[in-house]
Amino acid sequence: MAIWNLGSINADMVYDVPHLPGAGETLAADGLSRFLGGKGANMSVAAARAGARVAHIGAVGPDGRWALDRLTEYGIDTLFIAEVEVPTGHAIIAVDKAGENNIILFQGANHAISNAQLGQALSVAEAGDVLVMQNETNAQLEAAKMGRDLGLTVCYAAAPFDADAVQAVLPMLDFLILNQVEADQLQAATGLTVSDLPVEHVVVTLGSKGARYVQKDHEPVDFAAHKVQAVDTTGAGDTFTGYVLAGMDRGMPMEQAIQQANRAAALMVTRHGTADVIPDLKEVREARFD
């Protein structure tokens, strides 16, 4: 089995700041680091580090060769990543001393993925493979329709949140993951609670409180988060998602996949950075939490 990720690829420029800047404020940063990032790339790396076979579908600009090399180093199939004339996407991320962040995102090449490229990639997918998307690329609806028609398990990480984007793919989904704020926004837009959504598996992430799993026609199940000292929450949700998807792809019961993903996310928030510092499966299994 394999995971096919229609996902963003970014250069994450991470600035350490004493506090998150306010409107009109000029703030000196204490440090700067560049990481491979984008929700798509983060999820691909997390799933690969969790032991899944991952093929990434995306695009970079002429300045993005380093990102392809980095993804390849992490064991991800980059055959279906196109090089286009649009600059590679990037994010400017401010992280304060408590580990909270704000992000400015430039989409760039992430919105230059062609339907032909998408079709070529999914033509070699097999029924039962996992297809995942986020709201940082174009072609999500086309991918969801292709995935459904091909018998793939269609998954959507609803971030950055847009109610219209979620509703467009909702009828094709087997799995939806979103945070509590996004779940509330989706309910406001659709009138449906998480339990009423026409999706077999829904996971609502609750930050430091853990996660809630809602299977269609079943009672919700809550999973507590591990208590750690967070230094940077950037990429923690993507790490959680990648680990859950890898667990699904490897045939784990959903509860076990979520528990393992909780451990990975807890480790992730103790580290500065994004894709490059996502923990591998050995680290996750050996981690000790108070």
Side-chain angles (χ1 to χ4, degrees):
M1 307 301 287
I3 295 174
W4 299 83
N5 184 359
L6 172 63
S8 54
I9 302 169
N10 288 339
D12 281 354
M13 311 301 291
V14 181
Y15 296 83
D16 298 320
V17 293
H19 60 266
L20 298 182
E25 180 180 8
T26 299
L27 185 64
D30 299 321
L32 166 65
S33 303
R34 186 183 79 166
F35 297 93
L36 173 66
K39 288 185 173 298
N42 292 343
M43 290 177 194
S44 282
V45 172
R49 289 193 159 181
R53 184 166 69 89
V54 182
H56 196 101
I57 308 166
V60 297
D63 56 337
R65 172 53 58 180
W66 67 274
L68 298 185
D69 292 343
R70 197 77 60 82
L71 287 166
T72 301
E73 289 172 9
Y74 295 137
I76 295 159
D77 184 348
T78 61
L79 178 63
F80 301 106
I81 299 175
E83 184 174 317
V84 297
E85 292 305 313
V86 183
T88 302
H90 67 260
I92 297 171
I93 304 170
V95 180
D96 69 12
K97 293 185 181 301
E100 296 300 320
N101 65 65
N102 62 24
I103 301 171
I104 298 172
L105 182 65
F106 172 69
Q107 296 166 334
N110 295 315
H111 276 236
I113 300 166
S114 70
N115 287 345
Q117 174 191 350
L118 178 63
Q120 183 182 21
L122 294 184
S123 69
V124 295
E126 299 180 357
D129 283 356
V130 170
L131 169 66
V132 62
M133 303 158 289
Q134 321 80 38
N135 195 29
E136 288 187 345
T137 70
N138 64 310
Q140 298 156 34
L141 182 56
E142 294 84 352
K145 289 177 178 177
M146 287 184 194
R148 177 197 58 189
D149 293 344
L150 291 167
L152 308 185
T153 300
V154 182
C155 308
Y156 190 74
F161 185 79
D162 180 276
D164 291 339
V166 180
Q167 290 180 85
V169 300
L170 204 55
M172 277 74 73
L173 297 185
D174 300 294
F175 175 90
L176 173 66
I177 185 165
L178 67 177
N179 64 32
Q180 184 63 67
V181 172
E182 293 161 350
D184 293 341
Q185 291 174 326
L186 186 58
Q187 181 174 347
T190 64
L192 300 174
T193 67
V194 168
S195 297
D196 294 330
L197 291 172
V199 181
E200 180 66 23
H201 305 284
V202 181
V203 174
V204 180
T205 57
L206 306 171
S208 61
K209 296 180 180 179
R212 177 172 296 128
Y213 170 49
V214 182
Q215 185 177 8
K216 193 68 176 171
D217 300 325
H218 290 69
E219 288 296 314
V221 181
D222 287 345
F223 297 84
H226 298 282
K227 296 188 182 302
V228 295
Q229 182 61 51
V231 300
D232 185 357
T233 58
T234 311
D238 302 333
T239 299
F240 179 93
T241 301
Y243 264 80
V244 169
L245 295 174
M248 290 172 58
D249 183 63
R250 297 173 64 199
M252 280 186 182
M254 184 64 76
E255 290 83 356
Q256 184 179 345
I258 292 172
Q259 289 170 346
Q260 184 164 272
N262 258 349
R263 295 175 63 83
L267 279 180
M268 184 63 178
V269 301
T270 66
R271 303 173 176 187
H272 286 286
T274 46
D276 298 307
V277 298
I278 292 173
D280 62 26
L281 190 56
K282 183 174 184 292
E283 292 176 291
V284 170
R285 287 175 171 170
E286 293 179 353
R288 297 291 180 265
F289 300 102
D290 293 333

